[in-house]
Amino acid sequence: QVDLVESGGGLVQAGGSLRLSCLASGRTFSDYALGWFRQAPGKERECVAAISWSGINTYYLDSEEGRFTISRDNDENTVYLQMNNLKPEDTAVYYCAAVAFGSAWFDAWRYTDWGRGTQVTVSS
């Protein structure tokens, strides 16, 4: 099991940027694939970005590709989600998730460990 703690959420105006961070502890971070998911009120949880354990493969939700960038720093045990040109529809709780030796999967059920989430609110 790996413990995940998200940070970096907040309130931002439309067009602004945020960088979310997810700090992992408990296991060998470099062995884990990581994903960023979000869930808005009344909506299903969806994957916005994921990165494989090797860092070679990435996945982006179609609507976010070009605005969001996922990256990982194995020395810092941290995965990041850079979000640019934010829109009100990006408002959600954003969760970090991990699975050992996974690929850049977008299916939530594949992930074994989850953080508690960080709120992102984009005002119009």
Side-chain angles (χ1 to χ4, degrees):
Q1 180 180 352
V2 62
D3 296 321
L4 304 170
V5 179
E6 303 94 337
S7 62
L11 174 63
V12 64
Q13 289 188 333
S17 298
L18 283 174
R19 188 177 78 157
L20 304 183
S21 301
C22 176
L23 177 64
S25 61
R27 294 288 184 180
T28 304
F29 180 76
S30 58
D31 290 343
Y32 281 78
L34 301 144
W36 282 101
F37 291 76
R38 68 184 178 191
Q39 189 165 21
K43 295 188 177 181
E44 293 187 357
R45 189 171 296 192
E46 63 180 355
C47 181
V48 296
I51 187 165
S52 62
W53 71 272
S54 67
I56 293 175
N57 299 311
T58 57
Y59 161 84
Y60 292 97
L61 186 65
D62 285 347
S63 59
E64 312 310 342
E65 193 160 11
R67 297 194 301 125
F68 290 5
T69 303
I70 189 170
S71 61
R72 62 187 301 158
D73 185 334
N74 289 343
D75 291 333
E76 297 294 328
N77 289 354
T78 302
V79 60
Y80 301 99
L81 183 68
Q82 178 68 42
M83 305 187 294
N84 298 325
N85 191 23
L86 283 161
K87 304 174 182 180
E89 51 264 42
D90 294 319
T91 295
V93 177
Y94 282 71
Y95 298 89
C96 175
V99 59
F101 298 111
S103 188
W105 293 323
F106 56 84
D107 309 279
W109 63 266
R110 294 184 183 270
Y111 291 83
T112 56
D113 303 295
W114 291 81
R116 293 190 175 187
T118 185
Q119 176 70 47
V120 171
T121 303
V122 184
S123 64
S124 58

